[in-house]
Amino acid sequence: MFSYIARRLLLALVVVFGVLVVTFLLTRVVPSDPAARWVGPHATADQIAAARAELGLDKPLYVQFYRYLAGLVKGDWGISIRTHRPVLQDLGTYLPATLELILFGLFLAVVVGLPLGVLSAAHNNTPIDHLSRLVSIAGVALPTFWLGMILQLVFFKQLRWFPLSDRLDMMVELLSPVKKITGFYIFDSLITGNLPALKSALWHIFLPGLTIAAYPLGLAVRMTRATMLEVLSEDYIRTARAYGVPETNVHGVHALRNALGPVLTVLALTFAYSLVEAFLVESIFTWPGLGYYASNAIMTVDYPAIMGVTLLISLTYVFLNLLVDVSLAFLDPRIRLG
Amino acid sequence: MLWKKILAVAVVTGAMLLPALAEQPQVAMYGYHSEVTVFWDPAYSFSNEIIWMHNVYETLLRYDPFTDQFQPVLAEGYERSEDGLTWTFYLRRGVKFHTGREMNAEAVKGAIERTISLGKGAWYIWDAVESIEVVDDYTVAFHLKYPAPMDLTVAACYSAFIFDPAYDHDWYLQGHDSGTGPYTIERFEGNTLMVLEKFEGYWGGWEGNHFDKVVFKTVPSPSTLRLMVESGQVDIAYQLPVSDIQALKDNPNVRIVHTPSFQNLLALFNTQKPPLDNPLVRRALAYTIPYQDVIQGVLAGYGRQARGVVPYGLWGWSDRVKQYTLSLETAKLLLSEAGYPEGGFKLLLTYVSADENERRVAELWKSQLAKLGIELEVRGMPWDSQWELGQAPDPTKRQDIFLFYWWPDYAHPHSFLSAMFQTEEEIVFNLCYYSNPLYDELITRAAELAGIDRAESINMYVEAQNVLMEDVPGVSIYDMEYVRAVNAKLQGYVDNPAYPHVVWWYNCWRG
């Protein structure tokens, strides 16, 4: 087991290195002058030349890459061309907001998606099944940006049930600011007993969370339904039924446990996908997260920030994959890693 | 007796709640489409952050372009010597920096010298300064290398802040400030949120109606920003699409404020590449721009056709400068004279790809040129790529027409006339590659006179602009108006185009 994990970690390093090389080259192929961006508009030729030297852009490409890698090892992820702050510091500021949003979205997807999938399989080809299939197809098919705006129009503009944007109500943010421990507002306000902030945070995360949840929720329903139907036709289920095990137990315990493996794998992988989805959702809901930071970095060819975000996302992908493989081995005794 | 108990509880609860309600701070919110901070150091701030920095830091004077007058801020008065080479400023007494130190002549000298020595941002506005002398604690004198309007310089939008010079860039990066303004940084979140709170020791005092806190927030989605203005969450929003502005016009909760800006859209011609190396062809092109269609169709009327290069409202603008109009007949005559009676050539126009207005202007122009047999290729590019192509070593490899905006670093026509049209050894912003010694001489003289004889300076700038209109190295298409959606209850807000997008929140309140 440990040699397996060690081997996978080594492989992960190779993958991440490859991603870094490709991203580094891609950001340099795009015609752009980071030095000109660094000094701002209306800069003089001398100022741009000075910035080029300051940023090391006058050195050959391989030297620049070597410097970047050497910096990474020392925990220096470079300085963002656009924000003029260390990239690692920027990521630290924006990442918790995104993680909170995605985790909340996935939580919704699991809490709603799994029971709906089970229900759908249990009532195969009935109106309940048709309805849940409609929900799942809509969740997967609706474009995020459209869904986000429609939710805003309906639940904010028309009904006034939920707030329009941001992580907290501005007055709450000013009068009962959340003491930052993890950067997750719901968690931090809960453990510090900051009730106004907790209420506001939950209220604010709902619409963007639902938008993020749509895709994994759709997937969860479909995957659960499909794997449940497969498992329900197995012999041991027939045996269980023959022994008179109640139907709810057959579905909820015996079938679901065996159907869960593939669903969890897919959901874990959608976590990384949701990171990308967050690009749009965060812009629409003014959610100060990584997606907003990354989309701005891409639009302005802010290469240190692009590298930082790419590195972070690829690390997430690689480690989630590993985590899923390892945890599946625990869940399913038939899987042996080696 | 029960009702008495209930009443007592109600009175006590009310009494407890009342102070809480009374203590609710007055908070203003500014919704901005982009990052609210790019540069952190007041010495070389050169971007969006001026929207909050002008509330934290102050300049010696503030310029009002509508009256062409200066308002005293940190300087209560000033005078200049006869030859325009020495300017003396008399400082306000009893002003404290947010760091606790006193603002005096030594601090002013230190701040400006730090700005100059760092050589970043718009430090070059101080180019004329030879030395800064501390005459006494509250008097500071600038000795100049050549006559220059120092009143405009000290009132500049960028690189003219007076700050406590004892601190360095890293300190500012931590979210500290060292200004004298009415507000000070309470906290910030990356580059997307800045919260300012009132500085109790502000020299102007806090009597009357003022906001206690001001929040500057990045709202990237225009649809969200619009909803925030409609619902009153945001007091002022900039950069809403024209269609949203039109829709908000009839909303009683929103006021649309539009002011002439100092920003204009220019088309610079490549004067070193055929066929635009021929002034006749360039003049013909100036007659093909559908100016009025652009103003109505692209700007929905929020702008005006440019006259010359200096925008309307800025000194140096004059109706004595020639203005082109759309006339395809005249264009055809000029093209025939130049040897292109049927057109028959292709031109490449570049613009910043994210800018929808620039694209629509280019498309409207393209349809007019097609009528004369001229094919216009409209190419959207990221700004630095567009700029890089414009600086390609071989002039024939560059674009034919460079479409972009210009706005001044300080309220001076020289910014327009020198940067884009003065002879340049190494190309920076002279993207028409124009060189005319007569023109260079005129604007150099005009700049020298600006600090001594404003009227004569304007005359020379007008003459210089007419030289440009004759040679047509470029055409200014329109002068923009800044259009903002403002909460109808917001009082005291005056848009000042010399400080683009800045709101002096100390002067505002909610009615």
Side-chain angles (χ1 to χ4, degrees), chain B residues 372-493:
Chain B
L372 297 174
I374 301 169
E375 192 186 332
L376 185 69
E377 182 194 341
V378 176
R379 189 186 295 172
M381 308 172 86
W383 157 246
D384 30 353
S385 312
Q386 183 197 16
W387 197 23
E388 212 172 18
L389 180 69
Q391 292 166 316
D394 180 358
T396 60
K397 295 276 192 299
R398 299 168 186 160
Q399 75 295 324
D400 298 293
I401 303 171
F402 193 101
L403 200 62
F404 83 140
Y405 298 103
W406 193 265
W407 64 95
D409 305 323
Y410 65 121
H412 200 306
H414 200 71
S415 173
F416 287 85
L417 295 163
S418 66
M420 289 177 286
F421 303 103
Q422 194 169 21
T423 307
E424 264 180 358
E425 289 286 319
E426 190 182 343
I427 297 302
V428 183
F429 285 111
N430 183 347
L431 296 157
C432 42
Y433 325 112
Y434 176 67
S435 176
N436 180 341
L438 167 72
Y439 173 81
D440 291 350
E441 171 67 23
L442 272 172
I443 62 164
T444 307
R445 285 280 302 128
E448 284 171 5
L449 284 173
I452 310 167
D453 184 349
R454 178 70 72 83
E456 187 49 29
S457 172
I458 289 176
N459 281 337
M460 300 192 88
Y461 278 132
V462 168
E463 198 182 332
Q465 288 183 81
N466 276 325
V467 171
L468 291 182
M469 291 303 103
E470 191 62 23
D471 290 351
V472 206
V475 184
S476 180
I477 300 174
Y478 60 70
D479 298 338
M480 271 173 65
E481 278 188 354
Y482 287 142
V483 187
R484 305 174 206 285
V486 179
N487 185 336
K489 290 183 186 153
L490 187 73
Q491 308 287 316
Y493 168 60

Side-chain angles (χ1 to χ4, degrees), chain B residues 225-251:
Chain B
L225 188 54
R226 175 181 158 179
L227 287 172
M228 289 173 97
V229 181
E230 282 180 307
S231 61
Q233 288 179 41
V234 150
D235 290 288
I236 186 160
Y238 172 61
Q239 201 86 345
L240 284 177
V242 169
S243 54
D244 284 332
I245 292 288
Q246 298 291 74
L248 286 173
K249 256 179 166 173
D250 302 322
N251 188 326

Side-chain angles (χ1 to χ4, degrees), chain A residues 30-34 36-48 54 81-86 89-90 93-94 149 152-153 156-157 160 163-167 170-171 173-175 177 180 185 282-286 288 292-293 296 299-301, chain B residues 24-25 27 29 33-35 37-40 46-47 119-124 169 173-174 186-193 195 213 215 217-221 223-224 226-228 230-231 233 382-385 387-388 406-409 415 426 428-429:
Chain A
V30 179
S32 129
D33 187 356
R37 281 202 182 277
W38 177 261
V39 287
H42 298 197
T44 61
D46 290 345
Q47 282 176 319
I48 296 172
E54 188 182 335
I81 301 288
R82 189 176 167 90
T83 69
H84 289 232
R85 280 162 31 103
Q89 203 177 324
D90 274 349
T93 305
Y94 294 115
M149 285 198 221
Q152 282 182 329
L153 285 176
F156 170 73
K157 194 171 182 190
R160 300 268 161 177
L164 176 65
S165 58
D166 299 307
R167 295 181 78 185
M170 192 40 76
M171 287 315 277
E173 195 153 356
L174 295 175
L175 299 177
K180 284 199 185 121
Y185 279 9
E282 289 181 2
S283 284
I284 294 168
F285 289 95
T286 322
Y292 170 74
Y293 180 68
N296 263 329
M299 280 192 286
T300 54
V301 203
Chain B
Q24 191 93 317
V27 180
M29 183 143 155
H33 63 287
S34 185
E35 272 105 341
T37 314
V38 174
F39 296 93
W40 296 82
F46 205 11
S47 192
K120 293 181 175 177
W123 72 279
Y124 43 80
H169 177 71
L173 202 57
Q174 303 303 317
E186 182 189 286
R187 65 198 181 84
F188 70 100
E189 195 98 10
N191 299 62
T192 51
L193 177 76
V195 180
K213 290 174 192 268
V215 178
K217 186 155 183 54
T218 305
V219 185
S221 156
S223 65
T224 309
R226 175 181 158 179
L227 287 172
M228 289 173 97
E230 282 180 307
S231 61
Q233 288 179 41
W383 157 246
D384 30 353
S385 312
W387 197 23
E388 212 172 18
W406 193 265
W407 64 95
D409 305 323
S415 173
E426 190 182 343
V428 183
F429 285 111

Side-chain angles (χ1 to χ4, degrees), chain A:
Chain A
M1 173 69 113
F2 286 108
S3 71
Y4 172 80
I5 294 178
R7 210 166 59 236
R8 283 288 298 266
L9 281 176
L10 207 67
L11 213 66
L13 264 182
V14 177
V15 171
V16 170
F17 181 77
V19 169
L20 281 182
V21 172
V22 172
T23 319
F24 188 83
L25 288 177
L26 277 180
T27 49
R28 300 312 169 91
V29 169
V30 179
S32 129
D33 187 356
R37 281 202 182 277
W38 177 261
V39 287
H42 298 197
T44 61
D46 290 345
Q47 282 176 319
I48 296 172
R52 194 161 289 139
E54 188 182 335
L55 297 172
L57 292 166
D58 51 349
K59 300 276 183 301
L61 216 53
Y62 67 90
V63 175
Q64 291 182 38
F65 188 59
Y66 170 75
R67 282 185 174 184
Y68 181 75
L69 287 183
L72 277 186
V73 175
K74 285 182 277 179
D76 171 14
W77 289 34
I79 308 272
S80 156
I81 301 288
R82 189 176 167 90
T83 69
H84 289 232
R85 280 162 31 103
V87 171
L88 205 56
Q89 203 177 324
D90 274 349
L91 292 178
T93 305
Y94 294 115
L95 185 66
T98 301
L99 287 183
E100 184 178 41
L101 180 62
I102 293 175
L103 287 176
F104 184 81
L106 287 185
F107 172 74
L108 278 185
V110 170
V111 167
V112 179
L114 285 189
L116 207 60
V118 173
L119 209 64
S120 191
H123 301 274
N124 191 12
N125 280 330
T126 62
I128 297 179
D129 185 26
H130 296 320
L131 188 72
S132 87
R133 279 156 78 181
L134 186 75
V135 168
S136 75
I137 290 175
V140 174
L142 288 179
T144 313
F145 64 90
W146 183 86
L147 182 65
M149 285 198 221
I150 291 296
L151 288 177
Q152 282 182 329
L153 285 176
V154 174
F155 291 103
F156 170 73
K157 194 171 182 190
Q158 298 301 327
L159 300 171
R160 300 268 161 177
W161 287 0
F162 289 101
L164 176 65
S165 58
D166 299 307
R167 295 181 78 185
L168 283 181
D169 191 68
M170 192 40 76
M171 287 315 277
V172 172
E173 195 153 356
L174 295 175
L175 299 177
S176 322
V178 179
K179 188 163 180 267
K180 284 199 185 121
I181 299 162
T182 59
F184 288 34
Y185 279 9
I186 296 177
F187 183 75
D188 290 352
S189 54
L190 192 67
I191 58 170
T192 53
N194 186 347
L195 289 182
L198 177 64
K199 188 181 154 213
S200 184
L202 283 169
W203 228 233
H204 279 76
I205 205 170
F206 191 75
L207 290 187
L210 192 61
T211 316
I212 286 273
Y215 181 79
L217 191 146
L219 269 189
V221 173
R222 284 195 79 78
M223 284 295 291
T224 314
R225 180 182 175 275
T227 47
M228 277 292 282
L229 282 177
E230 204 181 306
V231 172
L232 282 174
S233 62
E234 300 266 343
D235 288 347
Y236 77 95
I237 295 290
R238 201 174 53 218
T239 313
R241 280 179 174 145
Y243 273 111
V245 176
E247 244 349 69
T248 41
N249 271 11
V250 169
H251 289 130
V253 180
H254 297 284
L256 184 62
R257 178 144 188 225
N258 285 297
L260 220 51
V263 179
L264 281 185
T265 313
V266 168
L267 277 182
L269 291 179
T270 45
F271 181 91
Y273 175 80
S274 301
L275 268 176
V276 181
E277 281 248 85
F279 281 35
L280 288 169
V281 177
E282 289 181 2
S283 284
I284 294 168
F285 289 95
T286 322
W287 196 265
L290 195 67
Y292 170 74
Y293 180 68
S295 46
N296 263 329
I298 292 167
M299 280 192 286
T300 54
V301 203
D302 178 358
Y303 71 92
I306 296 177
M307 297 286 291
V309 173
T310 316
L311 180 60
L312 192 72
I313 293 184
S314 43
L315 284 176
T316 315
Y317 250 107
V318 165
F319 286 106
L320 273 179
N321 260 322
L322 181 62
L323 204 68
V324 167
D325 288 350
V326 174
S327 55
L328 272 184
F330 281 109
L331 276 178
D332 188 341
R334 286 170 303 180
I335 298 177
R336 287 278 167 269
L337 302 176

Side-chain angles (χ1 to χ4, degrees), chain B residues 72-131:
Chain B
V73 187
L74 291 180
E76 287 182 315
Y78 67 102
E79 60 191 34
R80 70 171 160 78
S81 63
E82 194 72 16
D83 58 4
L85 286 172
T86 301
W87 291 68
T88 309
F89 289 85
Y90 303 100
L91 303 179
R92 192 178 292 280
R93 288 158 195 255
V95 177
K96 284 257 189 288
F97 287 113
H98 302 160
T99 54
R101 283 206 338 164
E102 193 191 19
M103 192 280 302
N104 55 22
E106 201 62 61
V108 169
K109 176 180 155 79
I112 294 169
E113 283 182 347
R114 178 168 180 265
T115 300
I116 296 171
S117 67
L118 284 172
K120 293 181 175 177
W123 72 279
Y124 43 80
I125 61 172
W126 301 102
D127 184 58
V129 175
E130 188 169 74
S131 64

